[in-house]
Amino acid sequence: MAVDVLDRPEAGAQPLIDGYGRRVTYLRVSVTDRCDFRCVYCMPEHMTFLPKAEVLSLEEIDRIGSAFVRRGVRKLRLTGGEPLVRRGAMDLVRSLSRHLRSGALDELTLTTNGSQLARFAEELVTTGIGRVNVSLDTLDPERFARITRWGRLPQVLDGIAAAKAAGLSVKINMVALKGVNEDEIEPMLRWCGAAGHDLTLIETMPLGEVGEDRADRYLPLSAVRRDLEKRWTLEPLPLSTGGPARYVRVAETGQKLGFITPLTHNFCESCNRVRLTATGTLYMCLGQDDAVDLRAIVRAHADDGALNEAIDRAMAAKPKGHDFRIDRRGAAPAVARHMSTTGG
Ligand code: SAM
């Protein structure tokens, strides 16, 4: 049998295979739980953030991330909270980028709200970052201020423009919210088409208390897609990232359009990812509580033996899938932690 060299862990290292035979090749890392925005569906306005001592140092993040890379992780995404508001975030990016140069990683990327992109876009490019995901739910300044509470649209649009000018490809992530921005899906599709950005639509997920009932805002993307198909030519793309998104090509604009549908479509059978929180807890599923504390291990052991054993335990405990439901009004969130904790 031919062995794919690009899909092989470092010589002597065991690949990451879970109890259902799924190969884990993608690590998402929450660099910080803090954010300069307070998106209404993500966290309450007066969110309590973690004390510094509980948060992994940048060196600890690098050490854990690098251990995963040695075990065959090919893609690493920095997220949060807002990754670019953490002091020294670019030092971490620079340091992890050595795995790109060595060929061990295919991609190092990040998900950002765009507020700091004008400042960091060029440096990201020189570090080897090729693309970023930017969260943008609306192109209307007042709506933007209402959804993000603390964000300002022009700052984010400047950041996106700077990213494009620096040569980064930008994918826009838009959470589709009933009665909030559903009328902007088509304008966003057109704006992305004109600017050359791919677009991914995301269903709101029941993660953490936010002080409002998400059932009121839940917009099933299956219905959105059917509606778009009346006016746009959506050509299905076979491409699967092992993630929750299903992609089409919009013939009229040439751009890709993704649908992340955790509630209307079960995508767990091909899951290839795990998530590290800012406190070093490894979650094997966004929608389940199974977790392994890697912080205690890296703080207690200078060598990576115990860390690798803990990673093996985590693989064995990766659940088959999540069971998000948002159909009961007033029901508690499926998991208590916020997206900003697990890393969106
Ligand atoms: N600060 C960065 C950003 O804004 O992209 C990264 C972290 S943020 C938590 C990552 C993504 O998760 C954003 O696109 C955000 O809109 C999305 N998100 C947060 N809470 C969510 C929820 N409950 N359901 C669906 N998406 C959510």
Side-chain angles (χ1 to χ4, degrees), residues 5 30 43 54 62 83 132 134 137 151 166 186 209 253 258 297 326:
V5 175
S30 176
M43 56 172 94
E54 290 193 20
D62 185 292
V132 289
V134 182
D137 299 330
E186 287 197 63
E209 289 290 354
T253 67
I297 290 164
I326 204 165

Side-chain angles (χ1 to χ4, degrees), residues 35 39 41-42 79-83 111-114 133-135 137 173-175 202-207 214 339-340 343-344:
C35 191
C39 297
Y41 52 79
C42 185
T79 175
E82 173 47 41
T111 299
T112 171
N113 64 24
N133 288 358
V134 182
S135 304
D137 299 330
N173 282 342
M174 176 184 190
V175 178
I202 306 174
E203 284 175 350
T204 178
M205 295 175 229
L207 304 172
R214 289 199 181 83
M339 187 75 118
S340 55

